[in-house]
Amino acid sequence: MAKSRHHFSSQDSPLSPTSSRSREWEGPSRWTEYLGLYENSSITSRSSKNVGSDGQVPSSGGGSHKGLNLQWVVQLIEVAEGLMAKMYRLNQILDYPDPVGNNYSEAFWKAGVFPNHPRICVFLSKKFPDHFSKLQLERVDKAALDALRDSAEVHLQSLEPWVQLLLDLMAFREQALCLILDLSSTVITLLPHQNSLILHAFMDLFCSFVRVTLFSEKLPRKMMLQVYNLLHAVSRNERDCDFYHRLVHFIDSYDPPLKGLHEDLNFVSPRIGEVLEAVGPIIFLSTDTRKLRNEGFLSPYHPRYPDILTNSAHPMRAQDLANVTSYCEWVLLGYLVCPDELLRVTSVDIALVVLKENLVLSLYRDESILLHEDYQLYVLPRISESKKMAKSGRTRQKEADLEYSVAKQVEKMLSEVHEQALLSCDAIHQERRILLKQEIGRMVLFFTDQPSLLAPNIQMVFSALALAQYEVIWYFQHVGIASSKSKAARVVPVDIDPNDPTIGFLLDGMDHLCCLVRKYIAAIRGYALSYLSSCAGRIRFLLGTPGMVALDLDATLKSLFQQIVKHLENIPKPQGETISAITCDLSDFRKDWLSILMIVTSARSSINIRHLEKATVSTGKEGLLSEGNAAYNWSRCVDELEIQLSKHGSPRKLYFYHQHLTAVFRNTMFGPEGRPQHCCAWLGVASSFPECASPIVQEEVTKIGRDAVLYIESLIESIMGGLEGLINILDSEGGFGALEMQLLPEQAAFYLNNSSRVSMPLAKSPKGTVSFPLPGHESFPESNDSIKMLEAAMQRLTNLCSVLNDMEPICVLNHVFVLREYMRECILGNFRRRLLSALKIDNDLQRPSVLESLIRRHMSIVHLAEQHISMDLTQGIREILLSETFCGPVSSLHLFDKPAEQHTGSAAEVVCSWYIENIIKDISGAGVLFTPLHECFKSTRPVGGYFAESVTDLRELQAFVCIFGGYGVDRLDRMMKEHMTALLNCIDTSLRSNREVLEAVAGSMHSADRMEREACLKQIVDLETTIGFCIEAGQALAFDQLLAEASRSVLEESAPLICSLLAGVVKHIPEEVPEKKETRRMRGVANSVGLAGDHDSEWVRSVLEDVGGANDGSWSLLPYLFAMFMTSNIWNTTGFNVDTGGFNNNIHCLARCINAVIAGSEHVRLEREHQQRQLLSNGHVGESLDPDIRVSAEASIKSAMQLFVKFAAGIMLDSWNETNRSHLVAKLIFLDQLCDISPYLPRSSLEPHIPYAILRSIYSQYYANSLSMPLALLTASPCHSPTVALAHASPLTRQPRGDSTPQYSTADSAYFKGSTSHSQEHLYDSEVGTVWSIELKHQTLRSSGPLGYSSSRKVKLTEGSTSGGSGPSTLPRFAVSRSGPISYK
């Protein structure tokens, strides 16, 4: 049959007359395609094993019992599910058309079901049921009609399976109506307390029939039949299809569907009314939340007697609550298709309660109809008609007044209930959700603590699950529903709160209850088996009572009762731990019991249900039927417990609302009432989504599985975003940052200054004068809310981590989601992002100490989460820090090479590049200076967001070492070496280009030919540029030494044994020429942590060795080139600063460069000469030299250094004259500092050239006057203003600031004031500025040194060139006379 539907042919068509007639009457065997696919209802699953081998139902002759007719009911319910699945799929394919209003989208015509000729198709649909031959289609669209004729066969094949669906609907209608009529006319009672099993089967079939009929209205049935008949006639010689007229009658009779349903179901209307009246009390109970709560219908303990743990107050009512969802659907559908039953006295109250709570009537999945509109259109007119008939018959009938009164009440109720539902339905259900939230929460706690009581109360658990499932589905069914009022055309949206947190609580409670049932499933089975074993004795006893003996049962019934007892007595006895291993199939027991029920409830049976009750109830115990029904229910807890759990507790229907599900989750999960533990339930919902797929529509399995995976991924993304948000809340200045508040030094100074002001009133607190929070502010009462928020965030974080860690993997088809792994990736990924974002602040570098504190703060949060996670997050953090730090192997430790494709170390790269660009190169022109006295770099203005000392002092560099470790230190060292290599290349270039001039200068110096020397000095190229490069090289040397000291301090603190071992080893490293690789690596390691003797020279030596520098003979002229620096104009703007121990333009860094480059180049030159000698002496390269080699190296360095000092002093003193003498003091101090820096140049070597008495006199005046009142005050010349002097700090790369007012922080202003900076400049004329003439007494001057001046001479004192700031100098300049600075008497 399935194959024939896809391949249409005239010879073997399932739509042929013979086929259609045979299939129409072949009974359940016709539905082979639909059967065996659905097991949603309990009756379906329990009866699916009862099908005969041929699938036939025995004839209902007078001598046979109708025990097997129930199987036909089950089969037709399955067929209804399959028909609705096909209609649902067709609706999807056709893009949900509107056949009533004839509105069709573009996708409808492109779906390939109908020919893409809208005019003809819509015209045929509108003219239904007129035959196409009477419609003159040529006038409508002749071109489309011709196209239809040409491709009729193709369109027939596409329409054929869906027309077959119409045939199936017609056949289903006829068979379902026959079966409903048969059951309603033969079953004695359909009351829930007497015959609940058959009642549910009957009402399920009834509701399925109504749903299928109502759903069919959403299909373009008229167009489908008319177009198919037209195509059939075109391809079959103008002959109609054989079923055409019957389908026309079928469609027309159900247009609209409710019109046909009213006519078809009129015969069963009284039985439906009886059923609805019987279930009314349970419906009233379910809507009375106060009674449910007060009387404990959903409580596992007695509400009035708390000591009684098992609730025996309302066992049957609590069990019936599991069916309330079905009862409400019976009421909505029953009164809709049997409106006359509303005229019963109690029906109006039942209908009012249910209609007031609902706005839509669910048909299938998410397909529904607007409930009140259909009641207004199809039920209200019938009630009005009944009211008129009752009014007109008032004088003729005694009951007319009562009928009229009831009809009037029903009419009023139907007219007003829609408005009431719009206003109150959400509030009613919200109150019920709150009740279920509380009751299920208590139930979970109780059964977790007392699991042994779960089995006796399992029916109550099913009731709670069913009610919660109904409420959750109702919520999502009504999200976004817009309903029009009864007679108004306007649309009224329903106010459903998308932020309702009870949904999460219900899902979580359902999930916990299901987990508890699955956890203790063996105990529940054991309890059920014990109950059934005891029930066998009771049933045997009841069968032997005198009343039963007197009934004289026939052989069939007697045999069935004996089979029941046998089944129960053969149940295995649970013993000890063997319960879980027991496999017991009780389907035969249930089959036999259903057979008994069908016999005793049939009107054709001589023994009916009333006889059995009267015969057995006189014993004072439960009747036979009550015992049997209870045994039936408990038997399902043995082998169908999972099916029952799925029926009552599975949230699979939420798949059709998963878009709303995601939105509500995001709104409630991290809201004020959200709970992190609920996320497991929200995620677990997706595991049941694939169960919604219909096997009859193959493509649904793939689509639903894909949507389930996307849903989980979307929720995981939201959960991880919330987790990341919680971590970031804690890792913020308002989080843990507020608890570890510390003031920066400048903030503390500002606060102390404000606190110590005398003018401040005592009543005022200094707290009001500062804009930053002070330590301890979290203890103030006004901070309570923020602290509570912080505690709540910590609690949520720990709860969420604990829940995600304990959550079982989620399986959807072939996808497995392990939340712990997602959580680990989220935490580590967030740490990486936070690390990279914290590196920069306002596009500039964050202080390393602040960055270290931020990392430690984040690590404390990770450790807090790690306590609730069964995985090592600390190791992951270390791996991230390593990957962000590792930029390649440590040059002095590792021998392997970094893989070319490895892209790591971005964080270290950023920090190291910033230091090189902004501190070493000073590309921003911030006036970065190295201060030897403070051992850090300082700047005249901020470098980015901080002054230079804030990022270069020892504490900051120690923080850098702690963060990035040896890899970061090595990376920064390598970058500085690369920069140093470029600078040494510039020196090499200068040596090469000036080689001839330097050789001439050297000759003139040795021959003391001053004229020739001065002539040669003028020929030197790029002297100023070379000086700038050398100063920059000195800065790099100073910074690298600071980095080495920071590394040593960190190593001493973290690994003191390694540090002491390295310090001991380095003392005994042999001096070899050339050095072995191992020796060189050991020396490099020691030098990188500041344990080598001369850091600078060793560092330059390693640079030269790595690049093969100093390999030219011109490097022997290096002392002469450095001596030429004394002729530079840079000295004219150089001033010594007492507070820093250096010069205002960093010229003291030139001394470090000279010492390191001369020493390093001499080492390299001697090694190269030694290698050449060894090669000439038969290649004995590896032999070590005698100890004289080290002595010769030191002697060579000393000789070169002394040569430099000798010629530098000579040039300095020779270049002094009457008109140019301001540079002399700076040069003298420079040479003294060089002797202090260099281990190869003792101070005694400077004495022959510059007597120490002169230097002592200079220093005495500087330091003696550094704290005294100013002796001279000058107005600075414009050409020598502080700003201009600052601009000369780096003549090569530093540019002057645009403004002439340098700005300083509190901590930096004192350092750059002119009071502590002294330089020698040209004298000013009286016209240029005001000059204070001070007569210096000869005795005073002589007391401080050998510098003597005439007592009668008056000297003009100019203000020193300052590193920042303007105003009078607070220290006297070194006074100079016009006759020269050195005058001995």
Short mmCIF file of all heavy atoms in Angstrom, two decimals, residues 1241-1260:
data_model
loop_
_atom_site.label_atom_id
_atom_site.label_comp_id
_atom_site.label_asym_id
_atom_site.label_seq_id
_atom_site.Cartn_x
_atom_site.Cartn_y
_atom_site.Cartn_z
N LEU A 1241 87.74 50.47 35.71
CA LEU A 1241 88.27 51.82 35.74
C LEU A 1241 88.18 52.36 37.17
O LEU A 1241 87.18 52.97 37.55
CB LEU A 1241 87.45 52.71 34.79
CG LEU A 1241 88.08 54.04 34.38
CD1 LEU A 1241 89.38 53.81 33.61
CD2 LEU A 1241 87.09 54.83 33.52
N PRO A 1242 89.22 52.14 37.98
CA PRO A 1242 89.18 52.67 39.35
C PRO A 1242 89.28 54.19 39.33
O PRO A 1242 89.72 54.79 38.35
CB PRO A 1242 90.39 52.02 40.00
CG PRO A 1242 91.30 51.69 38.88
CD PRO A 1242 90.44 51.37 37.69
N ARG A 1243 88.85 54.79 40.43
CA ARG A 1243 88.89 56.26 40.49
C ARG A 1243 90.31 56.79 40.41
O ARG A 1243 90.54 57.91 39.95
CB ARG A 1243 88.24 56.73 41.80
CG ARG A 1243 86.74 56.58 41.82
CD ARG A 1243 86.15 57.19 43.09
NE ARG A 1243 84.70 57.05 43.14
CZ ARG A 1243 83.86 57.92 42.59
NH1 ARG A 1243 84.36 58.98 41.96
NH2 ARG A 1243 82.57 57.74 42.68
N SER A 1244 91.26 55.98 40.81
CA SER A 1244 92.66 56.45 40.76
C SER A 1244 93.11 56.69 39.33
O SER A 1244 94.04 57.47 39.09
CB SER A 1244 93.58 55.42 41.43
OG SER A 1244 93.45 54.15 40.78
N SER A 1245 92.45 56.01 38.37
CA SER A 1245 92.85 56.21 36.98
C SER A 1245 92.43 57.58 36.47
O SER A 1245 92.93 58.06 35.45
CB SER A 1245 92.23 55.11 36.10
OG SER A 1245 90.82 55.16 36.16
N LEU A 1246 91.49 58.21 37.16
CA LEU A 1246 91.04 59.54 36.74
C LEU A 1246 91.89 60.64 37.36
O LEU A 1246 91.95 61.77 36.84
CB LEU A 1246 89.56 59.73 37.13
CG LEU A 1246 88.84 60.95 36.60
CD1 LEU A 1246 88.78 60.93 35.08
CD2 LEU A 1246 87.41 61.01 37.17
N GLU A 1247 92.58 60.32 38.45
CA GLU A 1247 93.34 61.33 39.18
C GLU A 1247 94.43 62.02 38.35
O GLU A 1247 94.60 63.24 38.45
CB GLU A 1247 93.96 60.68 40.43
CG GLU A 1247 94.74 61.62 41.32
CD GLU A 1247 93.83 62.61 42.03
OE1 GLU A 1247 92.62 62.32 42.15
OE2 GLU A 1247 94.33 63.67 42.45
N PRO A 1248 95.20 61.28 37.50
CA PRO A 1248 96.23 61.99 36.72
C PRO A 1248 95.67 63.04 35.77
O PRO A 1248 96.38 63.97 35.39
CB PRO A 1248 96.92 60.85 35.95
CG PRO A 1248 96.60 59.61 36.73
CD PRO A 1248 95.25 59.82 37.31
N HIS A 1249 94.43 62.88 35.39
CA HIS A 1249 93.85 63.79 34.40
C HIS A 1249 92.96 64.84 35.05
O HIS A 1249 93.00 66.01 34.64
CB HIS A 1249 93.03 63.00 33.37
CG HIS A 1249 93.74 61.80 32.84
ND1 HIS A 1249 94.82 61.90 31.98
CD2 HIS A 1249 93.56 60.47 33.07
CE1 HIS A 1249 95.26 60.69 31.68
NE2 HIS A 1249 94.51 59.79 32.34
N ILE A 1250 92.21 64.43 36.05
CA ILE A 1250 91.31 65.36 36.73
C ILE A 1250 91.50 65.11 38.22
O ILE A 1250 91.07 64.07 38.73
CB ILE A 1250 89.85 65.15 36.33
CG1 ILE A 1250 89.68 65.34 34.84
CG2 ILE A 1250 88.93 66.10 37.11
CD1 ILE A 1250 88.29 65.01 34.33
N PRO A 1251 92.12 66.02 38.93
CA PRO A 1251 92.34 65.80 40.37
C PRO A 1251 91.02 65.60 41.10
O PRO A 1251 90.01 66.25 40.81
CB PRO A 1251 93.04 67.08 40.81
CG PRO A 1251 93.65 67.62 39.56
CD PRO A 1251 92.73 67.26 38.45
N TYR A 1252 91.05 64.70 42.03
CA TYR A 1252 89.82 64.37 42.76
C TYR A 1252 89.35 65.55 43.60
O TYR A 1252 88.16 65.67 43.90
CB TYR A 1252 90.06 63.15 43.66
CG TYR A 1252 88.83 62.77 44.43
CD1 TYR A 1252 87.74 62.19 43.78
CD2 TYR A 1252 88.76 62.99 45.80
CE1 TYR A 1252 86.61 61.85 44.48
CE2 TYR A 1252 87.63 62.65 46.52
CZ TYR A 1252 86.55 62.08 45.86
OH TYR A 1252 85.43 61.76 46.55
N ALA A 1253 90.27 66.42 43.97
CA ALA A 1253 89.87 67.58 44.77
C ALA A 1253 88.85 68.44 44.04
O ALA A 1253 87.94 69.01 44.65
CB ALA A 1253 91.11 68.41 45.12
N ILE A 1254 89.00 68.52 42.72
CA ILE A 1254 88.04 69.30 41.94
C ILE A 1254 86.66 68.65 42.02
O ILE A 1254 85.64 69.31 42.24
CB ILE A 1254 88.50 69.43 40.47
CG1 ILE A 1254 89.84 70.16 40.41
CG2 ILE A 1254 87.44 70.12 39.63
CD1 ILE A 1254 90.39 70.27 39.01
N LEU A 1255 86.63 67.34 41.83
CA LEU A 1255 85.34 66.63 41.89
C LEU A 1255 84.73 66.75 43.27
O LEU A 1255 83.50 66.94 43.40
CB LEU A 1255 85.55 65.16 41.53
CG LEU A 1255 86.03 64.89 40.09
CD1 LEU A 1255 86.36 63.41 39.92
CD2 LEU A 1255 84.96 65.30 39.09
N ARG A 1256 85.56 66.64 44.32
CA ARG A 1256 85.03 66.76 45.66
C ARG A 1256 84.44 68.14 45.91
O ARG A 1256 83.41 68.30 46.54
CB ARG A 1256 86.13 66.47 46.69
CG ARG A 1256 85.65 66.41 48.11
CD ARG A 1256 86.73 65.88 49.01
NE ARG A 1256 87.89 66.76 49.03
CZ ARG A 1256 88.00 67.84 49.82
NH1 ARG A 1256 87.04 68.14 50.65
NH2 ARG A 1256 89.07 68.59 49.79
N SER A 1257 85.11 69.14 45.38
CA SER A 1257 84.60 70.49 45.52
C SER A 1257 83.26 70.66 44.82
O SER A 1257 82.32 71.27 45.35
CB SER A 1257 85.62 71.50 44.94
OG SER A 1257 85.08 72.80 44.97
N ILE A 1258 83.14 70.07 43.61
CA ILE A 1258 81.86 70.18 42.87
C ILE A 1258 80.74 69.49 43.64
O ILE A 1258 79.67 70.05 43.86
CB ILE A 1258 82.03 69.57 41.47
CG1 ILE A 1258 83.02 70.40 40.64
CG2 ILE A 1258 80.67 69.45 40.78
CD1 ILE A 1258 83.37 69.76 39.31
N TYR A 1259 80.99 68.25 44.07
CA TYR A 1259 79.95 67.52 44.78
C TYR A 1259 79.59 68.21 46.09
O TYR A 1259 78.43 68.20 46.51
CB TYR A 1259 80.42 66.09 45.07
CG TYR A 1259 80.36 65.20 43.83
CD1 TYR A 1259 81.49 64.48 43.42
CD2 TYR A 1259 79.19 65.06 43.11
CE1 TYR A 1259 81.45 63.67 42.30
CE2 TYR A 1259 79.15 64.25 42.00
CZ TYR A 1259 80.27 63.55 41.58
OH TYR A 1259 80.21 62.75 40.48
N SER A 1260 80.61 68.77 46.78
CA SER A 1260 80.33 69.44 48.05
C SER A 1260 79.37 70.59 47.86
O SER A 1260 78.42 70.77 48.64
CB SER A 1260 81.64 69.94 48.67
OG SER A 1260 82.48 68.86 48.99
#
